[in-house]
Amino acid sequence: MSSRVIAAAALLLVCATTARAQPDTAIVRIRFAGSTAGFPPIVITLTRVDPPAQRWVRSARVTDTVTFAHLPPGPYRIQTHGAESADGSALLTAGPGEDIIVRVTVVPAAVDAASAVAVASRTPIEYMSTFGRAALQTFASSVNLWTIVDTAEPLTFADALDSGGVLAAERALVGAHGNSWTQTTFRIGGLDVTDVTSGGRPLWYPDLGMLEAVTVTSASAPVEVAAPGPSLTLFPREAGGRWRGDADGGVTPSSFRSTNARQPSPIAALASWRMLTVTAGGPIAEGRAGVMVSGTALRSAHTERGDEVELPGDVTSIAGTATAAPSDAQRLSLMTSAQRTRQVYGARARLADRSALERDRYVVAQAQWHRHAGAAWWIDAGVQSLRAASVAADAPNGTVERLRDGPVPALAIDDMGTRTRTTMSAGVAPDVSGFDRGRHAVRAGASVTRTGGDLTSPGSGPIGERVNGIPARAWVYSPARAAIHPAETAAAAFVADRVAVSDRFTIDAGVRAEIVRAGGADGTSVRWQTLAPRVSARWATAAARWSVFGSYSRYDHQLPLTALAYGDPAAAQANVFRWTDANGDGRAQASEFGALLARAGPGASGGLSSIDPSLERPRTDEFLLGVEWRAASAWNIRFAGIARRERHLVAVVNTGVPLSGYSVRRIFDPGLDLLGPEDDQMLPVYDRLPATFGQDRYELTNPSGLDAAYDGLDLTVAGTIAARVHVLAGGTASRSHGSAANRGFLPVENDQGLIGELLTDPNATTYADGHVFFERGYSGKLAAWVESAKGLRAAAVARYQDGQNFARLVVVPDLQQGPEAIRAYANGRSRFTYAFTLDARVVQE
């Protein structure tokens, strides 16, 4: 580790300034009030109500604050006892990421009354939404996490609408505040389980039957969260205080399917859906341990674009947890899961058979040990594995329509094979109650993670490319079925503290240091050493009704392992030929090939591609300022502004064929306003010079000026009505500015965090800067759910969001390199039709 990393970490330890509560644990602070002068120390006992039983005992002066840190979420009982004070007792439930202040009003023992113990305030992570078990069961979803995130969580979006279960077995892409979907992270408890091969997806299919709660943090994240995208933390179910079991099932038969011949065919339509989830568990060993087991079987089918072929989406999942308390101060938890899914092959657009399937197998094993005896100690370890297999591994390639299916390289190099992630982490929250009157909640930790994956290239013939139906190019990859195995080792350390300067003012700060080594079997590697500081502050009025908060956060980006193929000689390369489809059968054949137009990566063999040895790690700097109003009736309204700036983004540059390798001409275009002349333009068109054919050379680097920005306003409202009706609502107004990696509006195209064609073809650079995929302009969501004492649960979710950003494409057919599509204006100058959905669900237990 460099000297600047060590110095910064040491400075932070000395200053003891902080970062907010972990997203998966809680902090409970005990403060004393009343006439406390002269009272001897008081004993505070904190007991976890649900098995396995745990108990923590502290003795403190009445002038101090007693802090219990790193508490697992759940119900607790607080008891106080003093030699000269009356006993007190109260129950409270600690939620994930909450900082709870409990005020004990001390009453002398001579008075015939108990000391009052009550929650004075709850301060969650500002940008975290929590969905408990009741919400997960009740929301109008198809037992699919992505539906809840997309429709109910106020500030996040998914890449596609899961209508009634269309996306069953899929791991959707999630984003918020204009980030790249590759930077979204997933955690099971305290361990990161993100699939870093391509980024943005979990190495576990989120089985809602096995989840107790889900939290979504979209901004101002604690230092445990590394990347700038949303962080979804999944909490497995654990045994409660008694044995219980439940079964949840549903069916949507094919006869329910509606058709309308007068309407255009939908992109995807549900054909059938069946689901059954069974869960059972309870305490064992006289309440010192507990077990919980869950199994889910989901079978669904859907059709696409009017095709009658039914495509499956099947999930089979079994998972279990075991918890034990070897002593009052220790807690051990285990979680294991095995799953199988069957769904359509993600890159099937390049195949002749577009109904090709993919079968994935997930295995997860995790263990966590916590010890609370003065200080809180924890050790977490876990292994997650995904084996993805396509039944089309040797199927013949077909023809891609560039305007509909996306860029050929994004379809050609896939991540079939095995991906694994192994993590070991440890941390401590020292007992600093005797320092500075217990104002601090310090924690520190470190982790080591090893990840690896497989990347393969297609075989079985060339891939034809058409542009708006016009035969354009044929891509021939070699070596056929080439496979590389990039891997990454990351060591991270953090130190953090939360300082309660006063009852009304808190400061959080922290720093995360990381060392990353990533590369392929040939030894080519990326080496990074980074620091990510974070600081925030909150000031509240005397009655704690109004508060003002702000934060600055720096996040280091996760580099998907797919990018490392540009430095690996074993990775596949493509020869790109002009294709005319002389026989009109829509298939690219060698007899129809014309001139060699280009060579495409990512393989480094022959010097075709390389990685800049000075490659810098991309980062995001986030600034947040907001105001919050908390009502006595537990209603909370928050309004905030966010500014994000992404620096040192990564792209591939074609150094072998610079701009001088093209001739430029201009064609007339009416611009955005097709009826008026105000924005008429002469659109530049770049025609590649034949002398440069095949001279391509690629470098993965940080191009100058390749940055992205986001500015937005967020409003969220949360509260309860009559103790049973829960309401969560929110809205956004935002704008973004980023360079699309590829031409088009899909999430694999209009995203600033991908490696694409942006700087390999000047026609892709025209109007490349615009609004990115996960910025939707204006959005609003309203979710409400009610729990009846008679077992009736009901929920409704209403969602509005602006349509996806896109740009009109001008197809130029007469270029030396074949037909190309060129943007006529930036993405976001036009949007698709808005999306509005209203869903409701009623469940009787």
Side-chain angles (χ1 to χ4, degrees):
M1 184 178 293
S2 67
S3 59
R4 66 187 179 94
V5 175
I6 296 174
L11 177 62
L12 191 72
L13 280 169
V14 172
C15 295
T17 58
T18 82
R20 51 180 47 82
Q22 283 184 257
D24 58 319
T25 62
I27 297 175
V28 174
R29 305 172 192 268
I30 312 296
R31 293 179 178 171
F32 298 97
S35 302
T36 59
F39 276 108
I42 294 178
V43 176
I44 308 294
T45 303
L46 181 68
T47 305
R48 181 179 171 87
V49 175
D50 284 346
Q54 290 177 277
R55 185 174 60 182
W56 302 275
V57 180
R58 300 275 181 87
S59 177
R61 297 172 298 179
V62 292
T63 55
D64 292 342
T65 297
V66 180
T67 300
F68 297 92
H70 202 77
L71 296 174
Y76 291 86
R77 179 179 295 279
I78 297 176
Q79 296 171 295
T80 67
H81 175 76
E84 298 181 14
S85 62
D87 293 348
S89 177
L91 288 171
L92 67 85
T93 299
E98 280 192 311
D99 186 345
I100 304 173
I101 296 178
V102 176
R103 195 170 304 281
V104 177
T105 302
V106 181
V107 174
V111 178
D112 187 17
S115 294
V117 181
V119 174
S121 68
R122 293 177 178 267
T123 306
I125 297 175
E126 282 87 359
Y127 268 73
M128 185 174 75
S129 299
T130 300
F131 300 95
R133 179 67 186 164
L136 296 178
Q137 286 183 306
T138 310
F139 270 122
S141 71
S142 53
V143 196
N144 189 312
L145 173 64
W146 321 118
T147 306
I148 295 176
V149 170
D150 194 32
T151 61
E153 206 290 321
L155 307 176
T156 55
F157 307 97
D159 66 317
L161 177 65
D162 177 30
S163 178
V166 172
L167 295 182
E170 300 284 347
R171 295 177 298 160
L173 307 178
V174 178
H177 300 118
N179 72 279
S180 169
W181 60 263
T182 63
Q183 302 306 310
T184 299
T185 58
F186 293 83
R187 298 161 61 91
I188 298 179
L191 288 179
D192 194 325
V193 296
T194 309
D195 180 1
V196 299
T197 304
S198 57
R201 294 182 176 96
L203 280 171
W204 189 59
Y205 183 85
D207 178 4
L208 295 191
M210 195 53 195
L211 295 182
E212 185 67 32
V214 174
T215 64
V216 183
T217 303
S218 58
S220 193
V223 290
E224 286 81 0
V225 178
S231 176
L232 284 75
T233 303
L234 316 176
F235 295 87
R237 294 184 70 180
E238 296 182 353
R242 59 184 178 85
W243 275 90
R244 65 184 184 220
D246 56 68
D248 185 11
V251 60
T252 303
S254 57
S255 59
F256 283 17
R257 181 179 178 183
S258 64
T259 59
N260 189 338
R262 294 178 295 177
Q263 295 292 332
S265 298
I267 294 175
L270 184 68
S272 62
W273 182 87
R274 305 184 304 278
M275 181 276 301
L276 175 64
T277 295
V278 178
T279 305
I284 58 177
E286 298 181 349
R288 301 299 298 180
V291 294
M292 176 69 70
V293 179
S294 175
T296 295
L298 171 62
R299 301 292 181 265
S300 71
H302 72 277
T303 60
E304 296 185 356
R305 301 182 185 275
D307 193 336
E308 292 302 316
V309 176
E310 294 189 356
L311 304 172
D314 301 339
V315 178
T316 302
S317 172
I318 185 168
T321 60
T323 53
S327 67
D328 286 348
Q330 296 186 75
R331 185 173 190 268
L332 178 66
S333 61
L334 305 173
M335 184 266 190
T336 60
S337 174
Q339 300 170 311
R340 297 179 64 179
T341 64
R342 187 173 71 114
Q343 68 273 11
V344 291
Y345 175 46
R348 68 191 185 281
R350 67 169 169 82
L351 299 176
D353 178 10
R354 296 208 171 196
S355 61
L357 301 181
E358 174 183 337
R359 289 183 171 90
D360 297 340
R361 296 183 179 183
Y362 303 84
V363 176
V364 173
Q366 295 187 184
Q368 297 177 320
W369 173 80
H370 294 176
R371 182 176 185 272
H372 292 77
W377 298 85
W378 63 92
I379 298 175
D380 297 345
V383 177
Q384 302 86 38
S385 176
L386 164 60
R387 181 174 180 78
S390 167
V391 299
D394 297 313
N397 289 313
T399 301
V400 170
E401 170 51 63
R402 175 64 183 84
L403 302 187
R404 180 190 63 199
D405 302 324
V408 172
L411 298 168
I413 309 298
D414 63 31
D415 53 2
M416 294 295 101
T418 301
R419 282 99 83 186
T420 59
R421 181 180 185 121
T422 304
T423 304
M424 173 71 75
S425 68
V428 60
D431 181 10
V432 292
S433 299
F435 171 72
D436 194 20
R437 300 179 62 187
R439 298 178 185 272
H440 297 264
V442 182
R443 69 185 189 278
S447 65
V448 177
T449 302
R450 175 71 175 177
T451 58
D454 300 327
L455 300 176
T456 57
S457 64
S460 302
I463 303 172
E465 178 190 2
R466 289 183 294 202
V467 179
N468 199 30
I470 306 172
R473 285 163 290 275
W475 299 65
V476 182
Y477 279 87
S478 64
R481 303 306 302 167
I484 62 171
H485 311 283
E488 176 187 279
T489 300
F494 71 87
V495 61
D497 183 21
R498 182 176 176 89
V499 182
V501 179
S502 68
D503 287 350
R504 297 166 57 185
F505 183 51
T506 58
I507 298 175
D508 296 271
V511 68
R512 179 184 181 90
E514 281 194 78
I515 300 175
V516 176
R517 300 289 183 268
D522 67 318
T524 302
S525 65
V526 172
R527 299 173 178 267
W528 285 327
Q529 297 179 145
T530 57
L531 281 175
R534 301 177 197 180
V535 62
S536 67
R538 173 183 284 266
W539 176 85
T541 60
R545 292 291 183 89
W546 290 91
S547 61
V548 178
F549 60 90
S551 68
Y552 163 74
S553 303
R554 171 168 290 183
Y555 307 92
D556 293 314
H557 289 210
Q558 171 67 54
L559 181 69
L561 297 184
T562 51
L564 299 176
Y566 282 92
D568 197 324
Q573 301 173 351
N575 288 329
V576 185
F577 299 92
R578 185 72 173 89
W579 173 48
T580 56
D581 193 18
N583 62 11
D585 66 352
R587 298 286 300 275
Q589 291 135 7
S591 60
E592 300 171 333
F593 294 176
L596 173 68
L597 302 177
R599 299 182 65 206
S605 177
L608 178 63
S609 65
S610 62
I611 298 178
D612 184 350
S614 302
L615 187 72
E616 294 187 66
R617 189 173 190 179
R619 70 169 190 259
T620 293
D621 292 300
E622 175 190 273
F623 303 88
L624 184 148
L625 181 63
V627 61
E628 187 174 70
W629 178 71
R630 294 175 180 268
S633 58
W635 281 85
N636 181 78
I637 300 176
R638 183 188 67 216
F639 181 74
I642 298 178
R644 287 187 163 196
R645 299 296 181 264
E646 299 181 38
R647 314 290 186 192
H648 309 308
L649 294 179
V650 174
V652 170
V653 177
N654 192 341
T655 59
V657 186
L659 189 61
S660 59
Y662 293 79
S663 63
V664 61
R665 57 189 170 93
R666 296 181 181 273
I667 61 175
F668 173 78
D669 183 79
L672 178 63
D673 185 357
L674 300 179
L675 301 178
E678 292 80 7
D679 60 350
D680 291 357
Q681 63 182 333
M682 299 302 294
L683 189 68
V685 176
Y686 295 91
D687 202 355
R688 185 162 173 173
L689 301 177
T692 67
F693 286 173
Q695 300 302 309
D696 310 89
R697 293 291 185 272
Y698 302 99
E699 183 182 45
L700 185 71
T701 186
N702 306 103
S704 176
L706 189 61
D707 299 330
Y710 171 89
D711 299 291
L713 298 173
D714 297 338
L715 174 66
T716 58
V717 179
T720 59
I721 301 173
R724 292 191 180 276
V725 181
H726 307 273
V727 178
L728 177 62
T732 65
S734 59
R735 63 182 182 183
S736 64
H737 178 82
S739 297
N742 297 294
R743 286 164 282 187
F745 61 87
L746 298 173
V748 296
E749 295 170 325
N750 186 22
D751 189 291
Q752 74 276 26
L754 298 174
I755 308 299
E757 64 186 1
L758 174 63
L759 297 177
T760 64
D761 183 343
N763 287 314
T765 307
T766 302
Y767 289 116
D769 295 339
H771 297 270
V772 297
F773 184 89
F774 280 111
E775 179 268 293
R776 297 299 172 85
Y778 296 96
S779 71
K781 300 181 184 181
L782 172 61
W785 64 103
V786 59
E787 302 174 67
S788 166
K790 298 182 179 180
L792 178 68
R793 301 196 311 269
V797 183
R799 179 267 303 267
Y800 165 88
Q801 65 188 39
D802 282 352
Q804 296 177 25
N805 303 298
F806 79 97
R808 180 169 56 84
L809 297 174
V810 176
V811 177
V812 183
D814 57 343
L815 299 177
Q816 297 283 353
Q817 68 269 29
E820 288 209 54
I822 303 172
R823 297 183 193 89
Y825 45 80
N827 283 321
R829 294 291 304 280
S830 291
R831 294 179 183 267
F832 288 104
T833 304
Y834 66 85
F836 176 80
T837 59
L838 176 61
D839 299 286
R841 189 183 189 196
V842 177
V843 178
Q844 176 65 60
E845 290 187 336

